[in-house]
Amino acid sequence: MHNFFPAALEPRKGQLKALELIKKAFDEGKRFFVLEGPTGFGKSALAKAVLNLCGTGFITSPVNTLVSQYSQNQDLELLEVRGQATYNCRAFNGVDCERASESFDDHSSRCFDYIAARDAFWKARHSVTNVHFLAYAPPIEGAFYPREVLVVDEAHNLEEIIIRMGRRSITPQDVKGISALSPDLPCEEKELLNRNKVEEWLRYFDNAITLALKQLSDDDERREYEGLRDAINFTLTSGDWITWKEKASLLIAPMSAKRAARSLFRCASRVLLMSATMGDIPLFLKNLGIAANEVAIHRAECTFPADNRKIIYRNLGSMSKRYNQPGLNKMLQECSLILRNRPDERGIIHCHSWDLQNTVSQHLRKEFGRRILTHRGSRDRDRAIQQLRDSANGVLCSVAMTEGLDLRDDDARFCIFAKIPWGNLSDPYVAERRKRSQDWYENMTALSVIQGSGRVVRSATDHADTFIFDGSFERLLPRLPEWWKEAIVHRRDIY
């Protein structure tokens, strides 16, 4: 097993054991293997070892930053490709390659940016890309395809990423832009609509887009309508979807990722699904349409000392708006106390919503001023993270940063959950999923808590404290793994 790992990397005992189990399962005819390897396990090195073991393979992830980390790690020797719109074509004066391909017939023969990366990706024995590219891009002639193994990292998010490929909003402007007929669907805001009626209109609108594409000359407009058409087709073929109206727009959302996952998995004979936290694995497998007899499972031990990753929990009351947030003021006062007692440390506060971010940041700025950092949206995320790292003792009030964030060592010595990140039940998709499965709703929330606390402890020698004050946390305890719960303490003197 040792020989399958990259020569520059020394495999750890837990990695060797996992690789042995993976080989055994694949040799016995299992098509799928689920690996839970807590942070610090070394999943990247193991992924490459599995590719070496099997001969040819893809690595993919729902998280684009992780895809880039794989390709930039020279020890792994992986060739990466992304969507062609992310490449600037030097052969056509820096126009992005998607526009160049639409505007110039000789783009494919002259391009040495996207086309070169695409060809190298398909012809390499080992390569890495995001889920969207692997699901949609056709293999070229001479490609290694299908391959022996597909490795999906951060796989706990795979179902949601697949579903997002089909979720779209169709605005009145979208309809008017191609002179199509508007849907006649009287209803209340966010009320689920009759699927048969909507499907009839969607098929009409899909044809209207196809006809309009022959006339549209603006590249950006063409791209938008092509993407909209893809989402409509994705949703209609998912087999299970819902639809509603919101602010005059028609929204569509798949409720199942099973068919799309089955199509994705066709790229390889065997599939390794891995994450630091897989959550409810039987539920995960069911939602992707994977039969229990097709899969082997291994949960690796967490090697981080519990004392280095303490979870300090105090029930200060509910943070639910439904109950008028009785715990809100107490939580804000505790945040102030933590910052007061840690004047020289950086930290992050997971706020879950923009309204809560505003409430927390305004409260803390009264005392801590410029120490309190915020961001305005996903596009502003990287700036805010860098501002935190560059600060002496900044505290970032964040939204949607429970994953894909690496705050190691002094980057952050504490994190606070201003509220347990329950799914937004005003979203018809979330409400319908919860109606069908309370297990799904609780599992997704538990995963967010575990992932969020993992942003600030990144190695066995790293240390940081996580604070939770929302009383609804106790509902999640049965869904949390034992290695995580062993770090929970109730002492206030740790502040």
Side-chain angles (χ1 to χ4, degrees):
M1 294 300 102
H2 189 288
N3 293 333
F4 291 113
F5 281 81
L9 301 177
E10 183 64 28
R12 304 164 194 166
K13 185 177 179 181
Q15 293 172 325
L16 290 169
K17 178 182 178 181
L19 188 60
E20 289 173 355
L21 292 172
I22 291 166
K23 183 180 186 302
K24 181 174 183 290
F26 286 164
D27 287 346
E28 290 175 351
K30 299 290 186 183
R31 189 179 178 208
F32 297 92
F33 194 99
V34 174
L35 169 67
E36 182 173 86
T39 305
F41 176 79
K43 293 185 292 298
S44 299
L46 181 70
K48 176 64 176 182
V50 170
L51 266 57
N52 289 336
L53 170 71
C54 295
T56 60
F58 299 107
I59 296 176
T60 191
S61 172
V63 183
N64 281 324
T65 54
L66 184 56
V67 171
S68 295
Q69 288 173 25
Y70 268 105
S71 66
Q72 292 165 11
N73 187 335
Q74 296 182 357
D75 294 330
L76 303 182
E77 298 180 326
L78 296 166
L79 291 180
E80 178 192 12
V81 70
R82 306 179 303 279
Q84 61 178 338
T86 65
Y87 293 84
N88 293 322
C89 196
R90 288 170 287 175
F92 295 91
N93 299 318
V95 174
D96 77 64
C97 287
E98 186 167 1
R99 290 187 183 183
S101 68
E102 294 168 349
S103 303
F104 304 101
D105 293 337
D106 58 345
H107 172 259
S108 60
S109 62
R110 292 178 57 193
C111 174
F112 48 92
D113 293 290
Y114 166 71
I115 296 297
R118 181 203 67 183
D119 292 355
F121 167 86
W122 286 115
K123 292 180 179 179
R125 296 175 66 83
H126 299 166
S127 42
V128 60
T129 190
N130 56 48
V131 171
H132 192 276
F133 184 93
L134 201 55
Y136 278 112
I140 65 168
E141 185 177 348
F144 279 110
Y145 188 89
R147 297 193 183 179
E148 291 301 318
V149 68
L150 167 66
V151 178
V152 184
D153 202 349
E154 296 295 336
H156 68 279
N157 259 339
L158 183 59
E159 182 200 13
E160 287 302 304
I161 290 293
I162 290 174
I163 283 174
R164 281 181 216 162
M165 291 182 189
R167 178 166 176 163
R168 284 295 295 265
S169 172
I170 304 173
T171 69
Q173 291 75 26
D174 293 330
V175 178
K176 185 178 179 181
I178 57 172
S179 301
L181 298 175
S182 298
D184 182 18
L185 303 165
C187 65
E188 297 295 324
E189 181 88 350
K190 296 187 178 183
E191 175 189 359
L192 294 188
L193 297 168
N194 182 290
R195 241 180 60 173
N196 292 332
K197 290 184 177 180
V198 176
E199 180 173 353
E200 183 179 348
W201 182 83
L202 287 173
R203 294 195 182 280
Y204 152 76
F205 188 57
D206 174 67
N207 289 330
I209 293 175
T210 301
L211 292 172
L213 287 173
K214 298 175 182 178
Q215 310 292 330
L216 293 176
S217 57
D218 183 272
D219 290 339
D220 289 335
E221 197 173 13
R222 285 182 58 84
R223 195 179 305 174
E224 284 297 319
Y225 278 108
E226 286 171 347
L228 184 55
R229 185 179 59 178
D230 288 343
I232 291 171
N233 287 322
F234 183 97
T235 298
L236 291 177
T237 58
S238 69
D240 185 7
W241 53 281
I242 60 173
T243 178
W244 66 96
K245 273 194 168 182
E246 188 173 328
K247 296 179 181 178
S249 296
L250 179 70
L251 277 83
I252 56 174
M255 294 294 289
S256 171
K258 291 179 182 178
R259 291 186 182 179
R262 193 180 308 129
S263 177
L264 175 68
F265 296 151
R266 288 190 189 121
C267 74
S269 303
R270 290 159 286 188
V271 182
L272 168 61
L273 300 153
M274 62 182 191
S275 177
T277 312
M278 291 300 302
D280 186 331
I281 292 179
L283 181 64
F284 167 81
L285 296 172
K286 177 184 175 183
N287 289 343
L288 290 176
I290 299 172
N293 62 0
E294 293 182 285
V295 63
I297 299 166
H298 174 56
R299 293 184 186 267
E301 295 181 2
C302 178
T303 59
F304 293 5
D307 200 48
N308 287 8
R309 50 183 174 88
K310 290 188 288 290
I311 313 295
I312 299 96
Y313 170 59
R314 295 184 63 225
N315 185 347
L316 299 181
S318 172
M319 286 292 298
S320 171
K321 288 184 177 180
R322 180 181 177 185
Y323 303 112
N324 297 317
Q325 297 180 296
L328 177 62
N329 288 331
K330 292 179 181 178
M331 179 274 294
L332 293 173
Q333 295 305 318
E334 293 300 305
C335 287
S336 295
L337 180 61
I338 293 167
L339 269 62
R340 211 174 290 138
N341 290 344
R342 297 171 179 240
D344 302 318
E345 293 181 357
R346 302 185 191 97
I348 184 169
I349 303 177
H350 296 298
C351 294
H352 187 49
S353 72
W354 299 110
D355 284 346
L356 188 56
Q357 182 204 56
N358 188 53
T359 299
V360 172
S361 61
Q362 284 190 0
H363 168 81
L364 293 176
R365 277 177 176 153
K366 293 175 184 176
E367 180 175 352
F368 302 102
R370 293 184 179 179
R371 185 181 178 190
I372 308 306
L373 309 174
T374 60
H375 62 114
R376 295 181 295 277
S378 58
R379 294 181 179 179
D380 194 35
R381 170 189 169 113
D382 291 344
R383 176 209 55 83
I385 295 168
Q386 192 58 50
Q387 191 177 2
L388 174 65
R389 290 186 172 126
D390 291 342
S391 69
N393 62 349
V395 179
L396 176 59
C397 296
S398 71
V399 179
M401 287 196 190
T402 55
E403 299 194 33
L405 177 60
D406 185 359
L407 296 176
R408 60 181 62 241
D409 301 323
D410 287 337
D411 282 351
R413 289 301 182 190
F414 66 90
C415 82
I416 301 170
F417 281 90
K419 180 183 185 298
I420 293 298
W422 296 98
N424 180 11
L425 291 175
S426 68
D427 182 327
Y429 166 77
V430 175
E432 181 65 17
R433 287 296 301 259
R434 184 198 182 195
K435 179 181 176 182
R436 297 184 186 191
S437 173
Q438 180 70 18
D439 288 341
W440 171 86
Y441 188 64
E442 292 181 359
N443 184 59
M444 293 299 291
T445 307
L447 285 171
S448 291
V449 171
I450 297 167
Q451 290 285 337
S453 66
R455 299 310 94 209
V456 293
V457 182
R458 308 300 296 169
S459 71
T461 57
D462 197 0
H463 64 89
D465 297 328
T466 293
F467 296 88
I468 300 174
F469 304 115
D470 186 344
S472 69
F473 170 69
E474 293 176 18
R475 290 162 51 192
L476 295 178
L477 288 173
R479 298 199 169 274
L480 299 168
E482 291 303 319
W483 66 263
W484 195 88
K485 288 193 288 188
E486 70 182 9
I488 296 176
V489 296
H490 300 272
R491 293 162 38 209
R492 198 179 187 196
D493 60 321
I494 296 174
Y495 285 26

